[in-house]
Amino acid sequence: MKRDGEADAEFNWMLEMWGYSVAAARAPLKHLVVERLQIEPSQQFGVRITPEAAGPRWYEAGGEPTHHVLHYTFSHEFSRDGVPMVDNRDGEWKLDKRAFQRGVPRDLPPPPRCALEAAWVLWRKLHETMEAAAPGPNHWEDAPLPASPTAVLAARTRALSSLGVGARLVGSGPWRWGGDGDLYLLRGGWAMTPWGSARWGAAQNWHEVAGDAAPAGAQVVLYLCGYQRWTHSARLEEEGGTTTLVLEGRPPPPAAGDARGGGGAGEEAGAARSEQSRAVLQGPLLTPTADEAEDAASAIAAADDTRADADADPAAVRRRLLGTGPWEHGPLAGRQLFFLAGGVAFDGRGRRRGNWSVLPPPAGGALAEVRLAIGGAAPLSLEASCWRLRQRETRLAAADFVWKAPARRCFSSCSDRTSPPTEAAVRSSGLGRVAMAAAWSWGFNREGVRFVVEKGEALFRSPWGQGRWGFVPSRDDVIFVDFAQQMHMLRFDRAHARFVSTRCSDGDTVSGNPLGDTADITRRLEDGWDKW
């Protein structure tokens, strides 16, 4: 199967698992399937590993495990206040076996109180093992904690508390970002964008040495492409009753392997365009009262409240809910619900406003009451247990909150829907013929990558494995390449025989040039590739 290019491109390093399955089926080898043999939980799937707890706090263990084996292949990623982070490997609290190949540190911090049950169980089991292990060389105490990849971003988030406009912006939205959709500035330096979850922070420039300085006049910065480099700076404009965030894209870094410093094809990197865009607030931007300013500071900090009775404290629940959304799953999910500042609730799908408040637990209750009213509908009585809302009367789950898949706005077409092109589409495309006309360098690697069509499929061949390539709907100068479990956008220069590739996961760029004699390609490009 490894020699089969299609299978290799589809399954990559997981091929061995499928190889066994196919071999066993062809043998034929019979297996006894035990349905509850093992479970593979993570924050992404949110599955329980014990029966539902009898008490009101859903995160408490509910008894004997439902399965015999806990397979910890998936990473457990949470924000610092325990919100599950979906499709994300940059958790502020994380437990990933890939970070501990040589051992686990004895001082591995516990999960946030509201982290899902599986994270707590796995952490406890690891500590039981560590406590039983004899000390000595190459044992647990020798393994350091992994470094945080978000240190600069965390500093920018903390600085929002001392930024005058920070308390006004947290929990604000929706900001209508041109024709793309809505932006919400939420708790803990998180944001929700038309392309997925993102981060935001203060634009103070104490990181010039790291090359992370924001332009003069900027108040905040947005991260729509990973957490290492901000993609947009923004300043607030209030005039004539209209509140606007003026956003300016960040120029891309030089492409690796490009002696010309990433100009030409690299002048645009999608979200990092240099031109301005504007996001207009759909409603007033409030100036918080003294009490509201305290709530805003708490929402910015997004600290983990470890008190056992935190879910019964109305102030704690109010501060936890402020600046969250969209809440998903359950009956409220269809509303795309946001809890915003000033007690404003917003239904992002129905475009309806409402209000929310938190009251003490009713008589005999253990959890604070959340009152929610949207539009003209009758108010709902809910209870919040960490990041789950339940209907108080029925105790049925109403909605869960997770930080959704992160935005990958590293290039304008990274959010396009891509599909493999037909052979006819490839061969009728001038851009496709340019790509197939030569082997191309990839950064500093000169072994060469190739764009080919075989058996009706557009295949990408590289020294690191095989993948697929094709076209994107929104651009006529871009080819997508999907290989090594990464999506890349290759923008071809109309005036020169070269491309700049932007990796959609983190914005990393490399350049490519045809290997060998480029005279023929250059000559043909002078007339435009559509004439090939």
Side-chain angles (χ1 to χ4, degrees), residues 29-285:
L29 180 62
K30 292 185 177 181
H31 294 74
L32 175 63
V33 177
V34 180
E35 293 291 343
R36 292 188 173 274
L37 176 63
Q38 76 169 24
I39 192 170
E40 300 179 343
S42 77
Q43 90 291 343
Q44 180 163 330
F45 305 118
V47 296
R48 293 192 61 86
I49 61 175
T50 65
E52 185 74 26
R57 296 179 175 87
W58 66 272
Y59 51 86
E60 292 178 345
E64 291 298 315
T66 57
H67 293 69
H68 298 285
V69 177
L70 193 163
H71 183 193
Y72 55 92
T73 184
F74 296 110
S75 176
H76 296 258
E77 310 278 345
F78 294 89
S79 68
R80 58 182 172 272
D81 50 350
V83 181
M85 297 168 62
V86 176
D87 289 331
N88 199 311
R89 286 294 181 88
D90 292 307
E92 293 158 321
W93 185 91
K94 65 186 299 167
L95 187 54
D96 186 348
K97 65 181 183 181
R98 296 155 190 83
F100 303 114
Q101 298 290 335
R102 297 182 180 179
V104 181
R106 288 186 183 273
D107 59 348
L108 185 65
R113 180 180 70 94
C114 288
L116 296 179
E117 179 200 32
W120 275 101
V121 171
L122 180 56
W123 178 81
R124 290 189 184 111
K125 293 297 182 184
L126 286 172
H127 273 264
E128 287 175 8
T129 303
M130 288 185 281
E131 289 172 3
N138 301 319
H139 276 278
W140 309 111
E141 65 269 27
D142 299 324
L145 286 170
S148 170
T150 60
V152 172
L153 173 58
R156 288 197 180 279
T157 300
R158 290 193 299 270
L160 286 171
S161 295
S162 58
L163 181 69
V165 75
R168 299 184 67 197
L169 291 177
V170 66
S172 66
W175 301 80
R176 195 68 180 172
W177 194 333
D180 290 315
D182 290 337
L183 166 70
Y184 300 84
L185 300 178
L186 303 174
R187 67 182 280 110
W190 286 82
M192 190 55 60
T193 77
W195 310 283
S197 63
R199 305 300 296 269
W200 68 293
Q204 276 113 321
N205 286 331
W206 14 250
H207 291 292
E208 286 96 341
V209 176
D212 200 48
Q219 294 167 299
V220 296
V221 289
L222 287 170
Y223 292 73
L224 271 67
C225 173
Y227 301 151
Q228 301 304 312
R229 301 177 77 251
W230 55 266
T231 58
H232 293 77
S233 61
R235 69 178 188 276
L236 193 64
E237 282 189 357
E238 297 178 272
E239 184 175 354
T242 300
T243 307
T244 304
L245 277 177
V246 180
L247 300 127
E248 186 170 341
R250 178 178 189 157
D258 186 358
R260 287 170 283 188
E267 286 175 359
E268 177 190 335
R273 294 178 180 179
S274 57
E275 67 263 22
Q276 288 185 351
S277 54
R278 302 176 76 83
V280 180
L281 182 61
Q282 307 298 293
L285 184 64

Side-chain angles (χ1 to χ4, degrees), residues 377-390:
L380 295 174
S381 177
L382 307 169
E383 57 186 29
S385 177
C386 278
W387 302 112
R388 172 167 292 177
L389 289 173
R390 291 185 185 276

Side-chain angles (χ1 to χ4, degrees), residues 335 345 353-357 371-380:
R335 297 183 177 181
R353 287 183 177 271
N355 57 77
W356 66 281
S357 60
R371 285 287 185 92
L372 172 68
I374 296 286
L380 295 174

Side-chain angles (χ1 to χ4, degrees), residues 13 20-21 23 34 107 152 178 185 224 241 287 297 305-306 329 490 501 528:
W13 62 272
Y20 174 82
S21 300
V34 180
D107 59 348
V152 172
L185 300 178
L224 271 67
T287 298
D305 192 336
T306 59
H329 316 301
L490 280 59
S501 168

